[in-house]
Amino acid sequence: VARHFGDLVAAHPGSDEEKAAWMFRRTLTRPPQLSETQKLVAFLQTQRQRLMTGELNAEQLAPGEKKNAVERAAWFTVARVVLNLDEAITKN
């Protein structure tokens, strides 16, 4: 689920901030606070750096189409974070 969601966000038009807000709203059905968007974008930038230096393997995280593998993999990592927020998980 997170991999597909990351692919959708990577293909979504807009800036990193707009994409993060779109992902957040789509998952939690509320707009993010500015601080939440900033944290997601900072995490995204860190993951991009890790992917570009080879610390993380983009092809493993985003298999298939090699085009935009780093971008897709970076958004996949952000999607995993957002989908695992307590607010996104239904607990009984």
Side-chain angles (χ1 to χ4, degrees), residues 5-62:
F5 197 22
D7 286 348
L8 286 175
V9 176
H12 194 75
S15 67
D16 289 344
E17 291 79 8
E18 291 167 331
K19 289 179 181 187
W22 182 81
M23 174 184 274
F24 195 94
R25 187 172 189 113
R26 182 110 183 201
T27 304
L28 303 177
T29 67
R30 70 169 177 84
Q33 296 176 4
L34 179 59
S35 63
E36 293 168 322
T37 302
Q38 290 171 337
K39 287 176 186 173
L40 288 176
V41 170
F43 180 74
L44 171 70
Q45 292 169 346
T46 300
Q47 299 314 300
R48 274 190 191 132
Q49 188 64 27
R50 293 178 71 200
L51 288 156
M52 286 191 266
T53 62
E55 184 180 342
L56 295 176
N57 186 326
E59 291 181 18
Q60 272 186 327
L61 293 175

Side-chain angles (χ1 to χ4, degrees), residues 48 65 69 80:
R48 274 190 191 132
E65 183 182 332
R80 286 177 42 179

